[in-house]
Amino acid sequence: MTTSITLIQPDDWHIHLRDGQALQTTVPHAASSFNRVICMPNLVPPVKTTLDAIAYRERILTALANSTLSEERKASFDPRMVLYLTDHTSPKEIEQAKNSGVVQAVKLYPAGATTNSADGVTDILGRASVFEAMQKHGIPLLVHGEVTHADVDIFDREKRFLDEILSIIIKNFPKLRIVMEHITTGDAVDFCLAQGEHIGATITPQHLLFNRNHMLVGGVKPHFYCLPILKRADHQQRLLEAATSGNPKFFLGTDSAPHATHTKESACGCAGCYSAPHALPLYATAFESMNALDKLENFASRFGAKFYGLPVNTSTITLVKQEQTIVQSYDYLDNKSLTPLLAGQTLAWRVDE
């Protein structure tokens, strides 16, 4: 029986750190396990320009410097920035992003698709000049793959996006590198597999471990509510198979998204699961369920770096088969709390500190 796993230090290719005082909580949690993190730009206001991205990165690094993490962890943490694609993003902005050295990608949120996406693109196929510039400069497009038409069932939004939007972008811009973020369906797995090496996908711990029954049976459980929403068990199984397949198209992206507890546990609860502090034990649990712990390092530490054309980390982190109980909550903002995914429950794995 495996009792410990030592991995190359992983990166998180999709995370929400938020801004302001929230960074005091989220940045140390992310930096405790991950080296590079792709920081989502859906702030208020969004990170729309290279100057916005540089300023946001400085705020993240200030929070890191003020944390109690070891100097080694502080030195290793590298937040990589993302621009929020809008109807007004210009090719010139893409060139500036490339030249900045800190902007790693551009994020496509269909308007209204998720938290703070009101400034998202309303005419996705009308962004041709921007996609051409991204293709020219080698900047990946990160897609929240859902349509937002009111008449489309929420469980069908991802499939419709693949058929109606993403397939056309790929056809029109055949050299544009694209990450299908937080995929949730077997349809997305099949779509990704059918594309060239320039198309990859991230998979979250919640979509590997849970399906919509976990969220709905026995009463609505708001801390399982995220977007894209959890799907049927057969889709969950396809994601597990993809993540543990050893195919480099699939890599780690937690989509860890903090919301104050009172905004999650409300009549109109926010979408997002907060997993950053214990993401690696969650992934280990999922991979162990497939008897595939030997595939975890590539998924967590190699494939994402390869896709982004970055060097693999040289530091390591060790997981031990030792039970831990997830804390009920963290301090968050002014006198508020942040409830993590699986709060109060026991995981079989923990990070060896």
Side-chain angles (χ1 to χ4, degrees):
M1 186 180 82
T2 302
T3 58
S4 69
I5 322 166
T6 297
L7 308 173
I8 295 169
Q9 199 83 37
D11 304 301
D12 188 346
W13 301 104
H14 184 127
I15 195 170
H16 297 267
L17 298 177
R18 307 301 188 212
D19 203 358
Q21 190 180 0
L23 298 176
Q24 297 175 20
T25 300
T26 60
V27 171
H29 285 170
S32 64
S33 294
F34 300 105
N35 276 8
R36 289 166 297 215
V37 294
I38 292 281
C39 305
M40 290 297 105
N42 56 333
L43 309 180
V44 181
V47 179
K48 296 180 182 179
T49 69
T50 302
L51 290 178
D52 291 341
I54 292 170
Y56 181 35
R57 188 171 192 269
E58 287 304 311
R59 296 195 296 275
I60 293 170
L61 292 176
T62 296
L64 179 70
N66 293 334
S67 74
T68 59
L69 290 175
S70 70
E71 292 306 313
E72 180 182 11
R73 278 284 81 221
K74 290 179 181 180
S76 297
F77 189 62
D78 182 12
R80 309 301 298 171
M81 311 317 294
V82 179
L83 297 190
Y84 188 115
L85 183 65
T86 74
D87 289 337
H88 306 290
T89 303
S90 69
K92 183 178 180 181
E93 190 63 58
I94 300 303
E95 182 178 5
Q96 292 174 344
K98 176 65 175 180
N99 293 335
S100 72
V102 301
V103 176
Q104 194 73 56
V106 173
K107 181 63 181 277
L108 168 61
Y109 289 105
T114 188
T115 303
N116 299 337
S117 63
D119 290 313
V121 176
T122 59
D123 180 13
I124 295 172
L125 299 180
R127 302 293 88 218
S129 63
V130 176
F131 294 152
E132 288 171 357
M134 292 172 62
Q135 189 171 245
K136 173 184 175 182
H137 293 292
I139 293 184
L141 176 69
L142 315 183
V143 296
H144 181 112
E146 293 187 287
V147 299
T148 56
H149 315 311
D151 61 334
V152 177
D153 188 286
I154 191 170
F155 293 102
D156 298 331
R157 286 180 171 187
E158 183 171 88
K159 177 67 163 60
R160 291 282 294 272
F161 182 88
L162 300 176
D163 294 342
E164 299 173 10
I165 305 295
L166 189 56
S167 59
I168 297 174
I169 294 175
I170 292 172
K171 179 181 178 180
N172 291 345
F173 306 96
K175 295 183 180 179
L176 179 61
R177 298 180 69 76
I178 297 174
V179 179
M180 300 164 57
E181 299 210 284
H182 45 50
I183 61 171
T184 66
T185 60
D187 305 291
V189 171
D190 291 338
F191 184 95
C192 187
L193 289 171
Q195 312 304 318
E197 294 182 358
H198 62 302
I199 311 297
T202 58
I203 307 179
T204 75
Q206 62 265 26
H207 290 105
L208 291 176
L209 290 169
F210 311 115
N211 57 65
R212 63 190 189 184
N213 275 2
H214 293 95
M215 180 176 63
L216 298 173
V217 173
V220 176
K221 302 172 185 65
H223 295 286
F224 285 127
Y225 174 53
C226 58
L227 290 172
I229 201 164
L230 297 174
K231 304 300 195 298
R232 296 192 308 268
D234 57 337
H235 289 298
Q236 177 195 1
Q237 183 63 29
R238 290 298 312 286
L239 296 176
L240 282 165
E241 292 167 357
T244 60
S245 67
N247 190 313
K249 283 177 162 288
F250 304 105
F251 44 91
L252 185 154
T254 64
D255 194 18
S256 179
H259 293 281
T261 302
H262 74 280
T263 64
K264 285 287 290 178
E265 299 174 358
S266 69
C268 187
C270 295
C273 300
Y274 189 64
S275 62
H278 53 293
L280 291 181
L282 289 171
Y283 279 114
T285 301
F287 275 64
E288 186 177 39
S289 74
M290 297 290 286
N291 295 313
L293 284 171
D294 60 314
K295 303 293 179 57
L296 179 58
E297 183 176 62
N298 281 338
F299 175 84
S301 310
R302 293 183 185 273
F303 292 160
K306 177 182 178 181
F307 183 90
Y308 279 96
L310 296 169
V312 173
N313 296 316
T314 57
S315 56
T316 60
I317 190 169
T318 297
L319 296 170
V320 294
K321 191 73 175 286
Q322 187 178 95
E323 287 189 350
Q324 66 163 318
T325 300
I326 305 303
V327 301
Q328 290 287 354
S329 65
Y330 296 101
D331 292 334
Y332 188 63
L333 304 177
D334 289 319
N335 301 315
K336 295 181 175 65
S337 67
L338 170 60
T339 301
L341 185 63
L342 294 184
Q345 298 189 43
T346 300
L347 288 179
W349 291 90
R350 67 184 308 145
V351 173
D352 185 359
E353 300 176 353

